Amino acid sequence: MADEEKPEGAAPDRWDATQWHVVEKGETLSEISQKYYGDPSLYTKIFEANTDVLKSPDLINIGQKLRIP
Amino acid sequence: MNSKKYLIAILFVVSALFQAACSGNKDAATMAVNAAQESFNAVKGEATQYVPDQAKSVEDALKSAQDNLDKGDYGAALNSAKAIPDSVKELTTAIAAKKTELTTSFQGMSDGLPKMLDAVKKRLDILSASKKLPANLDKAKLEGAKSGYETAAKAWADAQSAFSGGNVAEAVAKATIVKDNAVEVMSTLGMKVPAAAAPKS
């Protein structure tokens, strides 16, 4: 599992290499996978990296910050 | 004793005294130059590595003292040599400060570089499994990124080895290569570079 987000007020980790994506209106995990990997079927990689915030790969919300491994 | 013989005796004594004085000056100068050389030799290796410009200054001063000694200018040789131990003391202080600076730098990078390498590895593994590559990437770029990652990973192992061996300057130099390679690979893959590693504008 990728690094957790730091609590508010904590100094940002300037070496943090986690790649983040903020969900936009109408986006699905497949589309996000297409954007970063060129392959929508790899959406499972994104889901697996975000099981702390995603209950299902079909349930993502606008503004959600997702880790992109 | 007649006056001529007396004069010769006086000249002989004066000459002997002069030679003794000169010999004393020569001995003192030789001892001082040798002592200065020894004090520098004790720190030369680290000085050359960590504070090369300062080390060169002291080495030049030593050479000047030696040159004066060789020319027979014992007074100048002695004066030059007497100043060198203090310069060597300053070198020792400068070496310690530089080592501390480099150690802090390396420790900072050792927190962050493994994170960068790990992020790159994960992305490369996923992209290698992808049926098609994202818009910003083609096969040649991906292969280049993989090669860049391998180079960075090896350089990181070398950097850690150098640091464990006490060679901090080399460790920092290699860690910087790792950082530069990792930044290039991340940029090729369209990944965001961590703030601490981003090139300064």
Side-chain angles (χ1 to χ4, degrees), chain B residues 19 60 74 84-85 98 119 126 139 156 158 176 178 197:
Chain B
Q19 281 183 37
D60 289 346
Y74 304 124
I84 289 170
K98 192 67 179 174
I126 293 173
K139 211 168 172 185
W156 179 234
D158 291 345
T176 304
V178 177

Side-chain angles (χ1 to χ4, degrees), chain B residues 20-103:
Chain B
C22 287
S23 170
N25 280 350
K26 182 183 178 184
D27 287 346
T30 304
M31 273 176 60
V33 170
N34 287 345
Q37 182 69 63
E38 269 183 42
S39 74
F40 178 66
N41 286 348
V43 301
K44 186 178 176 180
E46 284 200 322
T48 309
Q49 190 182 22
Y50 291 104
V51 286
D53 292 344
Q54 239 175 299
K56 175 106 183 19
S57 280
V58 176
E59 210 161 14
D60 289 346
L62 252 172
K63 190 177 179 304
S64 173
Q66 185 64 54
D67 287 346
N68 282 327
L69 188 66
D70 293 341
K71 279 187 310 200
D73 192 347
Y74 304 124
L78 187 61
N79 282 339
S80 307
K82 275 193 320 192
I84 289 170
D86 278 347
S87 300
V88 169
K89 220 173 165 181
E90 285 170 16
L91 264 184
T92 308
T93 305
I95 290 166
K98 192 67 179 174
K99 269 184 165 177
T100 301
E101 179 198 317
L102 290 175
T103 300

Side-chain angles (χ1 to χ4, degrees), chain B residues 167-186:
Chain B
N167 196 337
V168 185
E170 188 184 328
V172 169
K174 287 196 185 290
T176 304
I177 291 172
V178 177
K179 181 169 68 84
D180 292 346
N181 273 331
V183 166
E184 194 178 326
V185 170
M186 290 182 94

Side-chain angles (χ1 to χ4, degrees), chain A residues 1-3 6 13-20 33-42 45-46 68-69, chain B residues 108-109 112-113 115-116 119 122-123 126-127 129-134 179 186 190-192 194-197:
Chain A
M1 173 70 76
D3 292 340
K6 285 187 178 284
D13 177 2
R14 296 186 75 246
W15 282 104
D16 183 16
T18 309
Q19 305 295 302
W20 297 98
S33 174
Q34 170 75 43
K35 176 181 176 177
Y36 290 101
Y37 307 142
D39 184 346
S41 71
L42 291 172
K45 301 289 183 189
I46 300 174
I68 308 296
Chain B
M109 285 196 275
L113 293 179
K115 290 178 187 172
M116 289 176 76
K122 280 182 174 140
R123 182 63 63 93
I126 293 173
L127 289 171
S130 181
K131 290 174 193 149
K132 202 178 162 190
L133 293 174
K179 181 169 68 84
M186 290 182 94
M191 297 172 76
K192 192 166 176 236

